Amino acid sequence: MLLKKPGFTLIAVFTLGLGIGVNTALFTLFNTLIRPLSIKDPDAVVRLNHISNKGSKFSFPDYQYFRDQTKVFSTLVAHADERFLLGAKKAEEPQEIRGEFVSGNFFSELGGEAILGRTFAPEESDAPGKGQVVVLSHRFWQRRFAGDPDIVGRTILLNGKPFTIIGVTRPDFTGLSSTLPELWAPMTMRSEMATVDLYMPALRGVPPAREDWFGKRDLQWLDVVGRLKPGKRLEEARAEMSVLFGQLARAYPEIDPKDSVRVIPMSGFGKVSRHAWRTFGIVLSMTGIVLLIACSNLANLTIARATTRQKEIGVRLCLGASRWRVIRQLLTESLLLALLGGVAGLFLAWWSLETGAATAVIGIAGPALNLTPDARILTATFLLSLLSGVAFGLVPALQATRANLVATIKDEGSAFSRRLSRSWLRNGLVVAQVALSLLLLVPAGLLLHGLAQVLTTDPGFETKKVLVVGYSLELSGYDQARARSFNQQLRARLAALPGVELVSAGDRPLDGGRLTITVPGKVSAEGLTMRASYLDVGQDWFKTFGIPIVRGRGFTAEETQAGAEVVVVSEATARNLWPGDEPLGKLLRMEKRENEGAEKIFVTTRVIGVARDAQTDKIDNIPPVTLYLPQEPSRWLDTALLVRTSRDAGEMKAAIRAEARALEPVLRLWLNSMEEIIADNGWIKSIRETAWLATGLGLLALLLAAIGIYGVMAYAVAERTREIGIRMALGASRRDTLRLILGQGLWLVALGAALGGAGGAVFSRLLRSFLFGLSPFDPIAYSTVALLLVAVAVVACLVPARRAMKVDPMVALRCE
């Protein structure tokens, strides 16, 4: 029966394949989160998380204590992410790569065998400073060294230090990270290497070269996993770690007794975070809407097909077939279609994941994730196909078997045909498709409009003509004296470039910090205490970013060099702290922390200037209190220069990179305009990904809705051929016929748009915090989505309408 109608079958399989495909792609991505890692006996491996205000990592002494005292784990494995600068002086362009420092038992415990060479020997990781060797990942070996079989024994430079390659791992070994490292180095080399992990809380403001990586308990830098002994359970591990941590906290006062250790499975549902569950639920609801539209499309097509099969169904019933027998026949066809659609959806999901289309939109995959469908995915797709087949096949089957047998045998099925073609169910399904499409398109339109608005709105500082030149000299083996000289030479070279107007130093906007301030004389004798945003800025910083000083003055060169106790505040700060009063000369007491430890110091500063308000803390937000402090000249090894150009900053990148490389060939260097930095801001990036996800699914839903509208109108025209012929025979023009068919289709679209718009408005209120101040009822977003919907609906209705215009009255009447 399906082969007799190949057009119907292909459209049904394609429609259902789209709906099932997006859901299968989502299931596959989520399945990577619960799939066991490619390590030895993954079910016995658990992760230890240190629950503290400094993050989830452990110090080396804590790791050593747990490793030596545990009775539940056979061993504990430690690892730490890091980035290295790979290159050779004046020989090749340096490349920043991702690697890991690992304990000596990393490969032996996790089953990371080498296909070339070997892994770490015990003597290479038994003392700090030993083990200048590395093991390469198979992917990095293929990409960087073209699979050279003689790679073992070669020397590479990492951060300017020579390391010997001793092995290459097997292709499927990914270690413990979802983002596959390029190489692994012994943990004992940590103290010999500069760090670029500037987001490690314990390292902020502390020169990493002076850190005691293996002796300080408050330097938390290690991730730790453990392998349970045979017969030991997760609950026993949690109980033991609770006891051991309590003993550790009592023995060392620097450990906060409120901290704890959490034991988390490395595979299965237990390792999925709440955020991942929430993300999965949101995306599943969106892809579920797409599948609902696909099923409603198939239901409409099935109902329309039942119209042409009314005589066959009637004859079956007259010959003695029970109604349930006929329903089973129709459901069998629907389930077969659903299974074919499931196969198509599986291939569509595989293609979107292989090309990166799905992972780029949802953003939860990494190069180490195995996206090949397994038994769980195949089972989920099969069940989803069966559910879809029942969803779109059951109701049409029930309705199709209610035919009037006498009318059917007498070939008087026109009433039955009319009842199906003008059924409230068919029209209702079209309305539902349009409404569900708008439920996705309205939020997408709002998010895109809000994103476009914030990216084009003036943040209060220059974005197109300011280039941030960031670099790290620790990776190139510099000390403070050489780094200071490099900074001075680079500033002089950049200032001499054609097109450069100013070169300054300091924090870039959106990259400041927080401190506690006290305003003397406010509220009480002790003063008013609050949290404030601050940026360290150098001379000419305000001119570089085009932020004018509206009162007072900025910093002099002497004040920035000496770290003078002066401060510039924003207009909002002056209004909030000293309303109606002169802010110049006012005193503020700031609480800071010394670089070498956690000791608090208190500094009293005097206000010397007021700067115009700018969105320096967060896009689309003026901070209530913002302080600009003189930059302390102590960050020579890892810092950034701010370059103001006379033209677009992007055009100056090549010249600036050439000047920096001329001074130091092996240099970790990054160049970004402030416009690029804003576009890549984490908050904006997450909203952009959400907007593109909603837009992609919304457009897919709209495509399916358009197919549904076209199908309904095409069958309506076919069934009303005699009526249209009579109308034209009685004098109706082609324009009248066009208006009749378009009116029927657009009426359904208008009703669906009204319902979908209302639902989208309700849903959009939940997105208020993502809209950058845009109203959830923004007329531009709603009108744009409405125009898109009308355009698609008109196109879907126009083809059947043009077919109706070509009906020959004589042919239509002669058919009767």
Side-chain angles (χ1 to χ4, degrees):
M1 296 300 296
L2 295 178
L3 288 176
K4 287 183 178 179
K5 296 289 184 180
F8 166 81
T9 303
L10 289 176
I11 292 176
V13 171
F14 172 74
T15 301
L16 198 57
L18 288 177
I20 293 178
V22 294
N23 283 273
T24 301
L26 173 62
F27 290 150
T28 304
L29 288 175
F30 183 75
N31 185 54
T32 61
L33 300 179
I34 61 176
R35 176 179 284 175
L37 295 173
S38 180
I39 58 178
K40 180 175 64 177
D41 192 13
D43 292 334
V45 178
V46 298
R47 181 174 298 281
L48 307 184
N49 276 3
H50 184 187
I51 309 302
S52 73
N53 57 7
K54 293 183 179 180
S56 62
K57 299 179 184 295
F58 294 86
S59 67
F60 179 80
D62 290 348
Y63 158 68
Q64 201 171 32
Y65 174 80
F66 292 135
R67 182 194 64 192
D68 296 340
Q69 298 298 320
T70 182
K71 299 294 189 295
V72 174
F73 296 106
S74 59
T75 187
L76 295 182
V77 177
H79 63 110
D81 292 342
E82 188 52 272
R83 300 195 72 83
F84 300 103
L85 198 67
L86 172 70
K89 287 182 179 295
K90 299 180 181 179
E92 55 183 315
E93 182 74 11
Q95 177 189 1
E96 188 175 325
I97 62 173
R98 182 181 176 277
E100 278 188 324
F101 288 111
V102 299
S103 55
N105 59 353
F106 182 85
F107 292 103
S108 59
E109 287 298 325
L110 300 179
E113 298 87 359
I115 61 168
L116 285 179
R118 60 177 176 85
T119 57
F120 302 138
E123 62 273 13
E124 290 170 333
S125 55
D126 60 358
K130 292 187 64 176
Q132 242 169 287
V133 293
V134 293
V135 175
L136 306 183
S137 71
H138 188 274
R139 186 188 66 169
F140 183 60
W141 172 58
Q142 292 282 354
R143 178 173 61 83
R144 177 75 180 190
F145 301 101
D148 182 3
D150 300 320
I151 192 67
V152 175
R154 284 180 55 181
T155 299
I156 58 174
L157 281 180
L158 297 178
N159 299 359
K161 293 182 180 295
F163 279 76
T164 302
I165 300 172
I166 62 171
V168 178
T169 61
R170 54 186 170 87
D172 61 334
F173 181 73
T174 58
L176 296 170
S177 176
S178 61
T179 306
L180 180 64
E182 313 286 10
L183 54 82
W184 292 271
M187 185 172 63
T188 48
M189 288 299 296
R190 169 70 280 186
S191 57
E192 305 301 311
M193 306 287 286
T195 183
V196 296
D197 191 357
L198 301 180
Y199 299 99
M200 188 180 295
L203 292 181
R204 288 174 184 167
V206 181
R210 300 211 297 266
E211 277 300 335
D212 182 2
W213 293 92
F214 300 100
K216 290 185 64 175
R217 289 194 179 274
D218 59 350
L219 181 53
Q220 299 174 4
W221 60 285
L222 288 172
D223 291 303
V224 178
V225 301
R227 180 177 294 282
L228 294 170
K229 290 181 178 179
K232 297 297 183 181
R233 295 179 296 121
L234 187 64
E235 291 73 17
E236 295 177 77
R238 289 170 173 167
E240 182 187 64
M241 293 310 299
S242 178
V243 171
L244 292 179
F245 185 80
Q247 295 173 355
L248 199 64
R250 287 190 294 272
Y252 298 95
E254 60 265 36
I255 297 177
D256 191 340
K258 296 180 181 178
D259 292 353
S260 62
V261 176
R262 182 178 298 167
V263 182
I264 303 172
M266 289 290 290
S267 61
F269 293 98
K271 73 169 185 173
V272 182
S273 65
R274 291 182 179 179
H275 175 72
W277 277 115
R278 185 164 55 249
T279 302
F280 176 69
I282 293 173
V283 179
L284 179 61
S285 64
M286 299 171 73
T287 56
I289 289 175
V290 175
L291 183 58
L292 280 176
I293 296 175
C295 288
S296 63
N297 251 348
L298 264 294
N300 253 335
L301 288 174
T302 305
I303 291 173
R305 185 165 177 258
T307 303
T308 61
R309 297 179 63 185
Q310 56 181 305
K311 192 172 184 62
E312 171 209 336
I313 293 172
V315 170
R316 288 177 182 271
L317 293 172
C318 289
L319 291 177
S322 66
R323 188 186 178 197
W324 171 237
R325 179 66 184 83
V326 177
I327 289 174
R328 278 194 299 165
Q329 166 74 21
L330 298 177
L331 273 179
T332 300
E333 297 176 16
S334 298
L335 290 175
L336 180 56
L337 276 177
L339 291 177
L340 292 174
V343 173
L346 194 62
F347 278 103
L348 178 64
W350 174 82
W351 171 83
S352 67
L353 293 169
E354 283 293 312
T355 59
T359 56
V361 172
I362 300 178
I364 63 172
L369 295 183
N370 183 4
L371 298 176
T372 304
D374 58 12
R376 272 196 295 257
I377 296 302
L378 296 176
T379 302
T381 304
F382 176 72
L383 294 177
L384 193 62
S385 301
L386 290 182
L387 183 63
S388 301
V390 174
F392 73 76
L394 182 59
V395 174
L398 291 174
Q399 186 171 2
T401 54
R402 292 175 182 168
N404 186 322
L405 298 184
V406 176
T408 300
I409 296 302
K410 293 181 176 179
D411 202 18
E412 295 175 359
S414 58
F416 171 64
S417 174
R418 195 181 309 117
R419 177 164 58 85
L420 285 178
S421 63
R422 300 180 182 178
S423 166
W424 62 268
L425 178 60
R426 288 185 60 187
N427 292 337
L429 289 172
V430 172
V431 171
Q433 291 173 42
V434 175
L436 291 173
S437 300
L438 279 183
L439 197 61
L440 294 177
L441 285 173
V442 167
L446 288 169
L447 289 170
L448 288 176
H449 186 209
L451 193 63
Q453 180 173 271
V454 76
L455 291 178
T456 55
T457 300
D458 180 14
F461 56 86
E462 178 59 49
T463 59
K464 296 181 181 297
K465 297 182 179 180
V466 175
L467 192 67
V468 179
V469 184
Y471 60 87
S472 175
L473 290 166
E474 274 196 299
L475 301 180
S476 303
Y478 278 59
D479 56 19
Q480 287 283 353
R482 287 185 64 200
R484 181 173 184 175
S485 174
F486 176 90
N487 182 276
Q488 293 171 346
Q489 293 180 59
L490 182 59
R491 290 186 70 155
R493 282 174 173 261
L494 298 186
L497 285 175
V500 173
E501 295 180 346
L502 283 171
V503 180
S504 63
D507 294 332
R508 69 190 189 193
L510 311 181
D511 198 29
R514 298 283 190 279
L515 51 74
T516 301
I517 64 170
T518 301
V519 186
K522 291 284 185 179
V523 180
S524 64
E526 291 79 14
L528 173 64
T529 301
M530 65 179 66
R531 297 289 289 172
S533 304
Y534 79 94
L535 292 93
D536 288 327
V537 305
Q539 186 187 17
D540 294 330
W541 188 93
F542 295 101
K543 292 180 181 179
T544 301
F545 282 101
I547 302 176
I549 302 294
V550 297
R551 192 177 303 174
R553 63 177 178 84
F555 302 123
T556 64
E558 292 76 16
E559 287 170 335
T560 56
Q561 291 173 3
E565 295 177 358
V566 292
V567 64
V568 174
V569 301
S570 66
E571 292 177 301
T573 305
R575 288 193 304 269
N576 292 326
L577 298 186
W578 304 285
D581 201 357
E582 174 59 56
L584 298 181
K586 297 294 186 183
L587 298 179
L588 289 173
R589 192 162 179 257
M590 299 186 302
E591 176 186 313
K592 303 178 70 176
R593 295 182 182 273
E594 284 191 348
N595 284 345
E596 296 298 335
E599 180 185 353
K600 295 180 181 178
I601 60 174
F602 298 91
V603 179
T604 300
T605 62
R606 178 171 52 88
V607 178
I608 63 170
V610 178
R612 189 184 66 189
D613 284 336
Q615 299 170 13
T616 54
D617 183 59
K618 183 181 177 182
I619 291 299
D620 200 41
N621 177 59
I622 301 294
V625 180
T626 302
L627 309 180
Y628 300 95
L629 307 178
Q631 183 183 34
E632 298 178 6
S634 60
R635 299 187 300 177
W636 301 114
L637 287 170
D638 206 315
T639 186
L641 294 176
L642 308 169
V643 180
R644 173 73 180 249
T645 65
S646 58
R647 53 182 186 267
D648 190 280
E651 301 174 9
M652 299 294 297
K653 286 185 178 181
I656 291 175
R657 182 178 286 105
E659 293 294 335
R661 298 288 188 208
L663 284 175
E664 175 51 62
V666 182
L667 178 67
R668 181 178 182 245
L669 176 72
W670 59 96
L671 306 175
N672 297 101
S673 69
M674 279 307 302
E675 191 174 38
E676 293 170 335
I677 291 171
I678 292 174
D680 200 45
N681 178 264
W683 177 245
I684 292 179
K685 193 174 181 180
S686 64
I687 293 175
R688 180 168 59 245
E689 291 172 352
T690 304
W692 284 120
L693 172 62
T695 301
L697 293 177
L699 292 176
L700 180 58
L702 188 59
L703 170 64
L704 293 174
I707 294 175
I709 295 171
Y710 168 80
V712 168
M713 299 314 300
Y715 274 102
V717 168
E719 293 163 0
R720 299 177 67 179
T721 300
R722 182 172 180 272
E723 173 195 341
I724 293 171
I726 293 175
R727 287 177 180 272
M728 298 184 73
L730 294 176
S733 65
R734 295 181 181 272
R735 182 175 300 177
D736 294 329
T737 304
L738 179 65
R739 191 183 306 117
L740 173 69
I741 302 303
L742 281 178
Q744 180 181 346
L746 294 180
W747 165 248
L748 298 177
V749 172
L751 183 57
L755 295 174
V762 173
F763 183 64
S764 298
R765 293 177 67 87
L766 304 176
L767 302 174
R768 187 183 294 272
S769 60
F770 296 90
L771 299 181
F772 299 105
L774 196 71
S775 169
F777 307 102
D778 177 61
I780 296 178
Y782 276 80
S783 58
T784 301
V785 170
L787 289 174
L788 175 64
L789 176 65
V790 169
V792 171
V794 167
V795 171
C797 295
L798 197 58
V799 175
R802 288 177 61 84
R803 187 183 304 160
M805 291 168 58
K806 298 177 181 179
V807 171
D808 187 336
M810 295 304 296
V811 173
L813 295 176
R814 192 176 296 122
C815 287
E816 286 294 314

